[in-house]
Amino acid sequence: MPRYDAARIEPFWQAHWDEHKTFETPTLPERDGEYPGGKLYALDMFPYPSGSGLHVGHPEGYTATDIVCRHARMNGKHVLHPMGWDAFGLPAEQHAIKTGVHPRVTTKENIDTFRRQLKALGFSYDWSREVATTDVDYFRWTQWIFLELYDTWFDPESGRGRPIAELPIPGEIESEGAEAVRRYQDGHRLAYQHEAPVNWCPALGTVLANEEVIDGKSERGNHPVERLPLRQWMLRITAYADRLLDGLEGLDWPESVKALQRNWIGRSTGAEVDFKLVGRDEALRVYTTRPDTLYGATYMVVAPEHPLVDSLVTDETREAVEAYRRDAAFKSDLDRTELSKEKTGVFSGSHAVNPLTGQPVPVWVADYVLMGYGTGAIMAVPAHDTRDWEFATAFDLPIVPVVDPPANWKPSKDEQKLAREIDGVTRYPFTGAGTAINSGEFDGTPTGEFKIAVIKKLTDEGVGSEAVNYKLRDWLFSRQHFWGEPFPLWHELDADGNLTGLVRVEESLPVDLPKDFDFKPHGRPEPPLDEAPAEWLYKTADDGVRLKRETNSMPQWAGSCWYYLRFVDPRNGDRFVGEEAEKHWLPVDLYIGGAEHAVLHLLYARFWHHVLYDRGHVSTSEPFGKLVNQGMILGEPEADGRAYKMSKSRGNVVNPDDVVADYGADSLRLYEMFMGPLEQTKPWQMSGVEGVYRFLARVWRTITDEDADEVRLNPAVRDVEPTEEQERAILKTIKGVGDDIEKLAFNTAISKMMEFVNGFSADSVRPKSVAERFTLVLAPFAPHLAEELWRLLGHQSSLAYEPWPEVDESKLVESTVEIPVQVNGKVRAKLTVAAAADRDALTEAARSDAAVARHLDGKSVVKVVAVPGRMINFVVKG
């Protein structure tokens, strides 16, 4: 019998869509008015094609965008829905080192697997626009954008990026000649060279990213990791800090994501203060957001990497300080701050003078202070900072309270754990605002007023000034890997073959990776591309200068910073994106992806977009208009009743191939949307897949004849006019599902379809026009089944571009309603009355009903509670 058979239906329609290029969309409309609904650019976050393929958590966001896109096409919109691959990166490189197979080979295999799996799920991607960051034609333009960054400086007066040729050159620099001018320009470029610490793992023979280092050891293999200075390329994202902050205001993004970006940028207003070193002319400059606590600064701390450390140490402290610095070199910034269980440090041997008290305070070296934040040195006020309190307690340093808390202040549980007895009184750190004490002339001044007054005092005395600081650091943009985009730059060499620090731009793009290259680690922290063939690595310029290629590679972030632009015009050989195409499609209207990219990917992409906007290459100041983070899908609940993140180690990964084989792609799509709100984290349950499969099978039975020998319409489906009730039911479903799609409320949309099918399947006569409209409503969610039913209903072409059914809202108004009639709160009858009946009409109708009259007979009606369209209740006595 022709039961619902997803295994037969789905491959047929996937092949049909491929053959007819159903979802290919023209880059620009071919004529005016072609798309009356406007445009929709819906984008999924770029997946990394790993060797393990998809698990069922991946398609959740992809299904959501697919539903939106299919609905939009039916509403006359010009839809762009592309897919591609973020294919460079360390995992592929390490796999290549282990197996000896080049990443080009394994990456292609992984992409083929991902593409096959996505096609098997029926997503309506325009596969003609597919790109991978590893495609030479793609990273040619990644290199071109990097050169735009290299050619740009940020003009603080205009607040925008400008060509480096427009950078004003001071007269004294210009008088020194062309090389001095080049070095001055290099110091202002958005892309610049800098010696920065890297995480070098000798056992793995590679440099690791911060997130690959845990407690000073490699995540893979648990090997010791050392922090070493290495020449790096940096991007001056800090110049755009205020722009990146301000740009968040107009975006339709989750507030949680905006807050994360604001916190990452970390703009704060405070003061820079100079502490003069005792016995020397130099001063230690600190940045503080609490200049009102200066009178309580009882010691100072400098980061182990601070350039003054060598001059701060004495003969007595030198050995201890050097040993401490070596230990600190093995810790990541995360280990030193957020993951640190206890404060460690060593006295430098020097003192500095508190500029307000005139008292000398000891200068310590401690790794809880980072060179990357502020000035790399802090004034420590232990009474009013928990980190300083912990350090002072550990090393028995003075704690002087200078802010009196409000009378109603009570220490938190965490603060109570830090209790310490001072002068016979139990004290706790207080980090809030209050009133100044032990602060000389400022005693009694509220914190807010004190900040203003003390900054003026510091400025007047020439020992400080107001300052703005950011937690955001410049972006370390190079990696010591061979599987990444090559930089399109040459280094000038001196006569001894050493880098001079001067760079020349590669004019002929793309710069491809060397083809014949042994990619095994060479055991040094320097880039492995240093071992590339000489013909790739060196050349002599026309002016006779010997040149060497840049051998660092770009990070994986590079390709994913701008892929949304290339999708718009992927085969353009003259520009990274055509001007008209960019103006037509940007910004992205809907961007869906995981919350793990809430900060770095989104911040980096926004930064690149701002620069391209400043340089006149794009027309919008922000790339992504609306952002949605889908929730994580966990594994099935385990024996302890809890559901855990899917992982190979737990053995709870569910492969979508298995689900499709057993239940079909439409069931998988429908279940993932029915599990709950898109943004919530949900546990996977196979019984839920079975439930939606049964629903789809019921849809199939409602429209097809399962008792026939071949697929044909159910005899109940007839070419007749729908009843008033049937018409109202289908219109209500069309409107409800359409509204829910617009709100991304897919679970409630599916509930509405289920409710409709429950009623429609029970009808002995099912009008064909109702069945057709329901099929169109089902199509965005279960496209394979819908296409099959559409053809069975007599249509020859795909329904992908059929108009979404219209709704005559006047027909949604019910002419009659059924209401309960209560007597003293108990239902005694149900009445069918006009939907517009008012209170008096309801009362009269209820009194006229024989069943109600029996319960009112001989009793006194004390009160009548009547809610038109809902209910009526008689309150009686006697």
Side-chain angles (χ1 to χ4, degrees):
M1 292 193 298
R3 295 181 181 276
Y4 173 50
D5 184 2
R8 176 187 65 83
I9 294 170
E10 292 177 352
F12 173 84
W13 284 105
Q14 290 159 15
H16 177 91
W17 295 329
D18 269 352
E19 180 186 349
H20 293 85
K21 298 180 170 45
T22 303
F23 303 113
E24 287 190 15
T25 190
T27 296
L28 292 169
E30 296 176 1
R31 58 185 182 277
D32 292 341
E34 184 177 3
Y35 298 100
K39 67 93 177 176
L40 173 74
Y41 185 179
L43 184 64
D44 298 303
M45 286 192 181
F46 231 15
Y48 176 80
S50 66
S52 55
L54 295 174
H55 64 64
V56 293
H58 293 108
E60 182 187 15
Y62 306 159
T63 305
T65 53
D66 195 59
I67 292 169
V68 170
C69 288
R70 287 177 177 273
H71 179 250
R73 291 188 193 96
M74 299 171 79
N75 280 279
K77 290 190 177 183
H78 191 196
V79 174
L80 180 59
H81 190 207
M83 176 52 71
W85 320 105
D86 189 10
F88 274 124
L90 184 60
E93 177 172 305
Q94 291 186 329
H95 182 75
I97 292 169
K98 182 179 179 181
T99 63
V101 180
H102 199 283
R104 289 184 192 276
V105 176
T106 54
T107 298
K108 182 183 181 304
E109 291 173 350
N110 295 345
I111 287 173
D112 289 344
T113 298
F114 267 58
R115 187 192 306 107
R116 175 191 60 76
Q117 290 182 301
L118 292 177
K119 286 193 172 188
L121 292 170
F123 296 131
S124 60
Y125 293 123
D126 180 353
W127 287 105
S128 71
R129 296 174 182 271
E130 179 186 3
V131 297
T133 54
T134 50
D135 295 340
V136 178
D137 287 343
Y138 181 88
F139 69 68
R140 165 195 180 182
W141 295 108
T142 306
Q143 293 169 338
W144 180 87
I145 294 172
F146 172 81
L147 292 180
E148 284 296 290
L149 292 159
Y150 181 74
D151 185 58
T152 302
W153 67 287
F154 187 80
D155 180 0
E157 290 188 11
S158 64
R160 65 181 183 88
R162 295 171 57 188
I164 199 69
E166 297 177 6
L167 174 69
I169 308 297
E172 62 272 19
I173 299 294
E174 201 160 18
S175 66
E176 293 178 19
E179 185 172 317
V181 170
R182 285 175 63 188
R183 293 188 185 279
Y184 183 80
Q185 289 175 327
D186 289 347
H188 290 77
R189 297 179 188 274
L190 293 184
Y192 64 94
Q193 296 181 86
H194 176 68
E195 273 221 346
V198 297
N199 303 308
W200 165 243
C201 179
L204 293 178
T206 188
V207 171
L208 302 176
N210 283 338
E211 56 268 26
E212 296 165 331
V213 180
I214 299 174
D215 198 22
K217 294 185 178 179
S218 63
E219 183 181 33
R220 179 173 298 196
N222 202 38
H223 302 295
V225 173
E226 187 176 355
R227 299 271 280 179
L228 297 175
L230 205 64
R231 183 186 60 80
Q232 304 285 334
W233 280 97
M234 312 287 291
L235 296 185
R236 210 180 300 274
I237 190 174
T238 49
Y240 280 78
D242 284 329
R243 286 264 297 273
L244 293 169
L245 270 176
D246 296 342
L248 290 170
E249 296 305 316
L251 299 179
D252 184 7
W253 287 19
E255 280 304 315
S256 58
V257 175
K258 291 185 180 182
L260 285 168
Q261 292 220 353
R262 291 188 188 104
N263 292 338
W264 189 267
I265 295 169
R267 187 183 194 278
S268 63
T269 302
E272 285 188 343
V273 186
D274 288 337
F275 283 66
K276 190 174 185 303
L277 291 168
V278 173
R280 298 165 58 179
D281 292 333
E282 289 179 282
L284 264 179
R285 176 164 293 182
V286 303
Y287 170 80
T288 176
T289 58
R290 294 294 303 271
D292 58 296
T293 63
L294 251 167
Y295 283 89
T298 58
Y299 67 97
M300 299 186 74
V301 180
V302 296
E305 304 86 5
H306 197 287
L308 285 182
V309 169
D310 287 335
S311 62
L312 290 172
V313 298
T314 63
D315 291 341
E316 293 78 12
T317 63
R318 187 177 307 280
E319 185 176 343
V321 170
E322 288 179 352
Y324 184 81
R325 295 176 83 182
R326 283 195 298 272
D327 289 341
F330 285 89
K331 298 181 183 179
S332 71
D333 290 353
L334 194 64
D335 293 326
R336 287 168 54 173
T337 52
E338 297 178 33
L339 302 181
S340 177
K341 299 294 187 295
E342 60 182 45
K343 295 293 178 287
T344 63
V346 61
F347 176 49
S348 71
S350 295
H351 289 75
V353 178
N354 184 318
L356 293 188
T357 67
Q359 298 298 311
V361 296
V363 181
W364 285 69
V365 179
D367 61 12
Y368 78 92
V369 174
L370 302 177
M371 194 60 217
Y373 180 71
T375 64
I378 66 164
M379 63 175 209
V381 185
H384 306 292
D385 183 282
T386 54
R387 296 185 311 162
D388 296 345
W389 176 282
E390 291 171 334
F391 191 89
T393 302
F395 293 97
D396 199 25
L397 295 167
I399 298 176
V400 178
V402 292
V403 182
D404 197 22
N408 62 350
W409 174 73
K410 292 183 179 179
S412 67
K413 289 183 179 179
D414 288 339
E415 289 167 337
Q416 290 177 28
K417 293 176 184 176
L418 300 175
R420 180 179 176 184
E421 191 170 299
I422 301 174
D423 298 330
V425 178
T426 301
R427 297 190 181 277
Y428 315 91
F430 170 65
T431 60
T435 305
I437 57 173
N438 299 323
S439 298
E441 65 191 271
F442 296 103
D443 279 357
T445 306
T447 295
E449 295 178 22
F450 191 178
K451 284 184 178 181
I452 297 170
V454 77
I455 288 174
K456 183 178 185 306
K457 179 180 177 69
L458 293 167
T459 304
D460 290 345
E461 295 181 3
V463 291
S465 61
E466 185 175 27
V468 175
N469 198 56
Y470 302 88
K471 281 197 268 184
L472 180 68
R473 300 293 92 199
D474 279 348
W475 176 6
L476 196 158
F477 191 69
S478 43
R479 297 290 185 271
Q480 291 68 49
H481 302 153
F482 68 83
W483 189 236
E485 298 93 336
F487 283 90
L489 298 171
W490 295 94
H491 291 274
E492 294 186 6
L493 302 177
D494 61 19
D496 296 323
N498 300 312
L499 275 58
T500 65
L502 294 173
V503 173
R504 298 191 185 190
V505 169
E506 171 62 72
E507 300 291 345
S508 178
L509 298 181
V511 177
D512 200 356
L513 289 162
K515 301 295 184 186
D516 300 318
F517 175 56
D518 182 0
F519 47 81
K520 288 184 170 49
H522 52 48
R524 303 187 305 278
E526 287 76 26
L529 287 174
D530 268 350
E531 305 294 316
E535 61 269 20
W536 184 88
L537 200 56
Y538 297 100
K539 78 170 184 179
T540 301
D542 292 341
D543 59 3
V545 176
R546 188 70 173 157
L547 304 176
K548 179 185 178 183
R549 278 201 191 277
E550 171 60 63
T551 53
N552 283 298
S553 58
M554 298 187 198
Q556 190 174 351
W557 301 106
S560 62
C561 272
W562 73 282
Y563 69 105
Y564 62 93
L565 288 166
R566 192 59 178 171
F567 276 147
V568 166
D569 196 11
R571 308 298 169 235
N572 193 323
D574 300 321
R575 281 177 56 91
F576 72 109
V577 60
E579 188 174 353
E580 287 186 49
E582 183 275 326
K583 287 180 180 177
H584 177 69
W585 287 112
L586 268 291
V588 174
D589 299 290
L590 176 63
Y591 195 23
I592 293 184
E596 66 272 16
H597 297 300
V599 177
L600 295 183
H601 160 63
L602 290 170
L603 197 65
Y604 293 157
R606 292 180 62 222
F607 166 51
W608 278 34
H609 195 90
H610 277 268
V611 177
L612 291 170
Y613 177 72
D614 287 351
R615 294 301 303 270
H617 300 303
V618 296
S619 60
T620 61
S621 58
E622 289 284 345
F624 313 119
K626 181 179 179 65
L627 173 73
V628 175
N629 294 135
Q630 84 267 17
M632 185 182 297
I633 292 182
L634 306 175
E636 293 225 33
E638 299 184 9
D640 60 3
R642 297 175 61 191
Y644 297 89
K645 182 178 178 181
M646 289 191 185
S647 67
K648 288 182 179 179
S649 61
R650 296 198 72 88
N652 63 353
V653 174
V654 180
N655 189 326
D657 290 349
D658 298 333
V659 181
V660 170
D662 291 340
Y663 298 100
D666 284 344
S667 294
L668 174 59
R669 292 166 58 107
L670 209 65
Y671 173 61
E672 295 211 350
M673 295 298 96
F674 192 51
M675 294 171 77
L678 180 63
E679 296 88 349
Q680 285 186 4
T681 295
K682 288 101 39 184
W684 178 269
Q685 291 183 303
M686 196 58 74
S687 59
V689 185
E690 294 172 2
V692 296
Y693 175 79
R694 287 195 297 270
F695 164 68
L696 293 176
R698 188 175 187 182
V699 172
W700 175 259
R701 291 195 305 272
T702 299
I703 298 177
T704 69
D705 184 0
E706 280 200 322
D707 293 329
D709 294 330
E710 59 184 15
V711 177
R712 69 184 186 189
L713 283 179
N714 191 304
V717 178
R718 303 176 193 171
D719 200 0
V720 296
E721 289 297 314
T723 65
E724 184 179 323
E725 184 178 348
Q726 287 173 327
E727 183 67 13
R728 187 162 49 248
I730 186 59
L731 292 179
K732 181 180 175 183
T733 303
I734 294 166
K735 178 171 173 52
V737 172
D739 289 348
D740 283 349
I741 290 174
E742 295 287 344
K743 294 183 290 188
L744 308 184
F746 306 114
N747 57 322
T748 57
I750 294 168
S751 294
K752 290 178 173 67
M753 289 190 286
M754 289 177 170
E755 182 182 351
F756 171 82
V757 172
N758 284 342
F760 191 58
S761 63
D763 291 341
S764 58
V765 175
R766 302 164 201 163
K768 184 180 176 185
S769 65
V770 176
E772 287 177 325
R773 283 177 284 173
F774 177 73
T775 299
L776 293 174
V777 171
L778 178 68
F781 297 83
H784 307 88
L785 174 58
E787 290 274 22
E788 187 75 3
L789 293 176
W790 188 247
R791 178 163 290 189
L792 188 60
L793 285 162
H795 304 277
Q796 297 305 308
S797 61
S798 167
L799 54 62
Y801 295 93
E802 286 294 318
W804 185 258
E806 294 183 358
V807 176
D808 182 350
E809 301 211 11
S810 66
K811 294 182 178 180
L812 290 173
V813 180
E814 298 189 30
S815 58
T816 60
V817 291
E818 186 180 67
I819 65 165
V821 181
Q822 300 174 351
V823 178
N824 285 348
K826 291 186 177 181
V827 176
R828 298 302 185 183
K830 290 186 178 180
L831 296 179
T832 299
V833 299
D838 61 12
R839 185 180 186 281
D840 292 339
L842 288 181
T843 305
E844 183 179 348
R847 284 183 179 277
S848 301
D849 183 83
V852 176
R854 268 199 319 273
H855 289 283
L856 298 181
D857 188 33
K859 295 183 174 64
S860 172
V861 178
V862 178
K863 184 179 182 183
V864 179
V865 180
V867 181
R870 300 288 300 279
M871 55 80 70
I872 184 169
N873 180 36
F874 292 93
V875 181
V876 301
K877 283 186 178 180

